[in-house]
Amino acid sequence: SDLKSAKRHKALVMARQIAMYLTRQLTSYSYPDIGDQFGGKDHSTIIHAIRKIDKQLEDDMQLRSTINNIKNSLTN
């Protein structure tokens, strides 16, 4: 429920952005579809989240490892 909320706590925002990123990577949902799943967020919010995570993955090895672990647990 927190991922769908409008709360803006730093840890929650990061978790929400990762979830949006993974939803786009692992499903065929469009940006508006993903926005609907996350409490009616606008498609531009989803695009921003995905771009932000993509950029962070370039430099943050820990984030890359975390996302890979989540992907592996979801796809197995």
Side-chain angles (χ1 to χ4, degrees):
S1 66
D2 281 341
L3 292 179
K4 291 182 174 186
S5 74
K7 294 178 184 176
R8 294 178 128 182
H9 301 289
K10 186 175 182 177
L12 186 56
V13 168
M14 183 64 148
R16 185 181 300 123
Q17 289 175 337
I18 290 171
M20 291 174 181
Y21 173 84
L22 287 171
T23 302
R24 182 66 176 171
Q25 294 292 309
L26 300 174
T27 70
S28 60
Y29 287 3
S30 67
Y31 295 125
D33 291 340
I34 296 169
D36 290 343
Q37 296 299 314
F38 283 91
K41 304 278 190 274
D42 190 74
H43 75 280
S44 63
T45 302
I46 309 306
I47 293 169
H48 170 77
I50 292 168
R51 286 182 180 164
K52 183 173 180 184
I53 296 299
D54 271 335
K55 184 170 170 62
Q56 286 180 313
L57 286 173
E58 293 174 7
D59 301 323
D60 190 339
M61 294 300 290
Q62 184 174 355
L63 178 62
R64 187 177 306 161
S65 175
T66 299
I67 289 178
N68 284 334
N69 289 338
I70 295 169
K71 273 186 183 179
N72 289 336
S73 69
L74 290 173
T75 57
N76 289 335

